[in-house]
Amino acid sequence: MKKVDIFNLKGEKINDEKLNENIFGVTPNDKVLYDAIILGRASLRQGTHSTKTRSEVRGGGRKPWRQKGTGHARQGSIRSVQWVGGGRYGTPVPRDYSKKMNRKERGIAIKSAYSYKAMEDAIVILEDLVLETPKTKDFVKVLDLLKLTDKKVLLVVKDLDENVILATRNLSNILLVTPKEISVLDLVGSDYLVVTKDALKQIEEVLL
């Protein structure tokens, strides 16, 4: 069973924690994990792209000139696809990009992502995360002490505290979530998983 160090906000190791093997020690299923990543990325697409076809463009109700004798190529409408201002052919229409995955596969995918983080030694546990002020510079000091300043960090807390929200919201490399909000895409897209001790217990409760 893998052990992970527990740090305080001064960057000092104060203890260690054994990770649950049923979550952080499973053999990753790359196929299911890949499908979950595709599902997560697809869910971010709005699918509202749209262009007008020939039948939807205003105008062009009559032939621009007679069929023969003008010296021009024959034309049926000034809204045909070859005309400027005409309709478009084979272009996007609104669609739903969402995909489906059953509950068992979702569980396998999230556990696979957690297990990869454990194998990469990319998990940091905090005893607690209580900030006295909502200042970003105070939280940056914590990152400096943990040597995570230039890393993409998924920060998981049990409850969202106003000071923590305000201190992290201007940092582009920090994503603040609660255990129930964690997605496979969040885990895979981060360099480190930083989780409070209470949040870690809640993660285990959710997945076991």
Side-chain angles (χ1 to χ4, degrees):
M1 188 176 291
K2 189 176 182 64
K3 288 185 178 181
V4 176
D5 295 337
I6 299 177
F7 296 92
N8 59 21
L9 295 184
K10 295 181 181 179
E12 301 168 340
K13 177 185 174 181
I14 57 176
N15 207 336
D16 55 49
E17 179 82 11
K18 291 182 179 179
L19 297 178
N20 192 306
E21 287 188 350
N22 294 324
I23 298 175
F24 297 93
V26 303
T27 302
N29 187 319
D30 291 339
K31 173 62 171 64
V32 176
L33 181 59
Y34 174 80
D35 289 342
I37 293 171
I38 295 299
L39 182 148
R41 291 177 63 87
S43 67
L44 299 176
R45 302 185 68 174
Q46 291 183 325
T48 55
H49 42 40
S50 179
T51 54
K52 292 184 178 181
T53 62
R54 175 175 172 173
S55 64
E56 295 169 323
V57 179
R58 183 186 176 99
R62 67 177 179 84
K63 284 172 69 68
W65 49 75
R66 58 195 174 95
Q67 182 84 345
K68 296 179 179 292
T70 63
H72 296 295
R74 56 192 176 189
Q75 300 292 332
S77 170
I78 60 171
R79 293 297 178 254
S80 298
V81 295
Q82 71 270 23
W83 285 75
V84 174
R88 294 291 177 262
Y89 173 77
T91 49
V93 293
R95 57 167 291 190
D96 180 12
Y97 283 96
S98 63
K99 297 179 180 295
K100 293 183 179 180
M101 178 176 281
N102 63 48
R103 184 178 298 178
K104 184 176 180 181
E105 288 177 319
R106 288 176 184 271
I108 293 172
I110 194 79
K111 290 177 182 179
S112 296
Y114 279 127
S115 296
Y116 269 123
K117 279 286 180 281
M119 286 189 287
E120 296 165 359
D121 293 323
I123 299 176
V124 176
I125 302 176
L126 293 177
E127 176 66 22
D128 201 357
L129 182 58
V130 178
L131 300 179
E132 296 180 359
T133 68
K135 296 181 179 179
T136 300
K137 66 179 182 180
D138 291 341
F139 185 73
V140 170
K141 290 179 182 178
V142 176
L143 292 178
D144 288 339
L145 293 171
L146 295 173
K147 300 179 181 178
L148 298 175
T149 306
D150 300 323
K151 305 296 183 180
K152 289 184 179 179
V153 175
L154 177 62
L155 179 61
V156 186
V157 295
K158 184 178 180 181
D159 299 302
L160 294 176
D161 177 74
E162 185 175 1
N163 282 354
V164 177
I165 294 173
L166 295 175
T168 59
R169 66 179 180 178
N170 289 331
L171 298 174
S172 60
N173 62 320
I174 304 296
L175 177 60
L176 176 66
V177 297
T178 60
K180 294 182 180 180
E181 297 173 331
I182 300 174
S183 70
V184 170
L185 210 57
D186 295 336
L187 286 167
V188 173
S190 63
D191 297 322
Y192 279 84
L193 171 64
V194 177
V195 56
T196 62
K197 194 173 179 181
D198 290 340
L200 180 62
K201 292 180 180 178
Q202 194 169 358
I203 289 174
E204 294 175 351
E205 292 174 0
V206 170
L207 293 177
L208 293 179

